[in-house]
Amino acid sequence: PASAVPAAAAGRAERLFTRDVIILLFAQLFLLAGYGGFITTYAPFATVELGWSTLDVGIVFSFFGAGSILLGPWLSHLADRTGRRRIAALATLPVAAFGAVLVAGVPKIGVYAISILAGGALTAFTGSWFALLSAASPNVRRGRTFGLVSAGSNLGQVIGAMGASAVWQGSTIGGGLLSASAPVLLCGLTLLLLPRDQPAST
């Protein structure tokens, strides 16, 4: 149809990366950098410094999953109602606090609690981030934008793992675990550069 020609021309004129897309790319890169640092140091710290068994290490991961199931949908709904940018930024706080809780030697019940909260927060962050990226991406290039952003942000895992390893080698394993929290906090701060999104009316 003739109406498809102007639409295609407009799509070609749209930029692949807008300012908001770039912000969301760096936010996800920082989050994945924190994850890279976390998976590099968490299990060694828990077993060597805290004396946990392998089962203990796995149980904590199960509490992350429980938090995702129990809190994730509710927090995602809250993001729709109050603003996805706000909830995604706030969600980085319990995730960043996890390493500090471990290094502080908080009893396991406290570790389980922060794991549940962080698991729900990660689910809310992921849902909000994808919704924000969808809104920020050019309509006719959304698939390409999603692919490039996902691929580029995965560099964060490499950067985070290498960074935590360097801190661990230069100081202590606890320092390496704490260093993983820094990029997670940067993720939240980066999201604040986005304009406020309008909450859903229902």
Side-chain angles (χ1 to χ4, degrees):
S3 60
V5 177
R12 286 193 295 270
E14 287 185 290
R15 289 184 299 165
L16 187 62
F17 285 99
T18 64
R19 174 183 176 274
D20 290 354
V21 168
I22 293 173
I23 290 172
L24 290 163
L25 165 63
F26 276 97
Q28 182 76 342
L29 187 146
F30 287 136
L31 183 75
L32 291 179
Y35 176 71
F38 168 76
I39 61 173
T40 301
T41 55
Y42 160 61
F45 180 85
T47 54
V48 174
E49 298 295 327
L50 302 179
W52 287 9
S53 66
T54 305
L55 179 62
D56 291 327
V57 172
I59 287 174
V60 168
F61 271 111
S62 72
F63 276 98
F64 271 92
S68 176
I69 295 168
L70 297 173
L71 299 179
W74 178 79
L75 290 173
S76 297
H77 176 67
L78 183 65
D80 290 339
R81 295 295 301 272
T82 63
R84 298 183 180 105
R85 184 198 73 156
R86 176 189 302 174
I87 296 299
L90 290 174
T92 61
L93 297 179
V95 178
F98 180 81
V101 168
L102 281 183
V103 173
V106 172
K108 283 183 182 178
I109 187 66
V111 176
Y112 296 156
I114 192 66
S115 299
I116 290 174
L117 185 58
L122 280 172
T123 297
F125 174 91
T126 302
S128 297
W129 183 84
F130 273 108
L132 290 167
L133 181 61
S134 180
S137 301
N139 289 335
V140 297
R141 299 186 178 187
R142 187 165 291 151
R144 188 187 306 178
T145 300
F146 269 58
L148 291 173
V149 169
S150 296
S153 61
N154 276 316
L155 289 172
Q157 293 189 54
V158 179
I159 296 170
M162 293 179 64
S165 298
V167 174
W168 178 0
Q169 185 173 354
S171 57
T172 63
I173 186 173
L177 181 57
L178 286 175
S179 71
S181 298
V184 178
L185 294 174
L186 282 175
C187 169
L189 292 174
T190 300
L191 287 173
L192 296 180
L193 298 174
L194 292 170
R196 290 185 178 182
D197 55 309
Q198 295 296 322
S201 58
T202 57

